[in-house]
Amino acid sequence: NGKVWNPAIGFFPKEFDYTSAIINTGNSFRQQYGLFEAKVRFNRNFPVNHAIWLVSDVMLPHLDLARAGKKISVGTFWGNPNAKGGVDKKSDSVSRNKYGFDYCIFSLEWTRDKLTWKLNGIPVCSSTQGVPQVPMYLNINSSLYQDADGSVLPAELEVDWVRCYQPAVGK
């Protein structure tokens, strides 16, 4: 049993066939700028989505350190979802066939002016747009965006380690 959100009536109880989880550092750790790294392994169980991402007290902007669905993607999302034009994003993805079986190190270098994502030390995406200017906290989660028939479960997101480095003072 869990709860589902409906804007008209708020949260209401619902019975689900499966559960998922999220771990976050919202109450214990937030950081603005620096280097964020995670050594993780995603299984290949679509429609389960696994993610390591950063967000503040509002949903936008947010940064995907790594998100595994049909592909493995990284990116930044910003803007106003209620405004004309909606959410802006800058993202890129790599094939799950190449990176879906073993541990990989995903990293994000976040400065005042630029975001750079790397996979096993190789740059895969960068952006000077949508660079957040607020402290953010980490989320690690698995979720279902559509029904699963059970044949792909249980799904696994294995986290070996997560490291966050602050920039040197004055940088």
Side-chain angles (χ1 to χ4, degrees), residues 92-127:
D92 210 336
S93 62
V94 296
S95 168
R96 290 202 67 178
N97 291 332
K98 186 172 182 180
Y99 298 102
F101 297 105
D102 206 354
Y103 281 97
C104 294
I105 297 173
F106 293 89
S107 63
L108 168 62
E109 295 174 21
W110 174 16
T111 68
R112 176 182 305 276
D113 303 314
K114 188 175 183 182
L115 299 162
T116 303
W117 290 265
K118 294 180 182 177
L119 175 53
N120 293 333
I122 300 169
V124 293
C125 186
S126 67
S127 181

Side-chain angles (χ1 to χ4, degrees), residues 138-163:
L138 281 162
N139 291 287
I140 302 172
N141 72 286
S142 296
S143 58
L144 286 167
Y145 294 127
Q146 64 190 54
D147 289 335
D149 64 10
S151 65
V152 297
L153 299 173
E156 296 176 15
L157 162 56
E158 296 180 62
V159 180
D160 187 27
W161 50 258
V162 175
R163 298 176 181 154

Side-chain angles (χ1 to χ4, degrees), residues 124-136:
V124 293
C125 186
S126 67
S127 181
T128 56
Q129 295 180 298
V131 179
Q133 302 298 317
V134 295
M136 302 180 108

Side-chain angles (χ1 to χ4, degrees), residues 6 18 20 29-30 32 35 42-43 49 53 77 84 104 114 122 135 139 142 150-151 169:
N6 179 310
Y18 305 101
S20 61
F29 172 81
R30 292 172 188 241
Q32 183 176 350
L35 175 62
F42 305 111
N43 70 2
N49 289 275
W53 52 294
F77 302 82
K84 185 177 182 180
C104 294
K114 188 175 183 182
I122 300 169
N139 291 287
S142 296
S151 65
V169 176

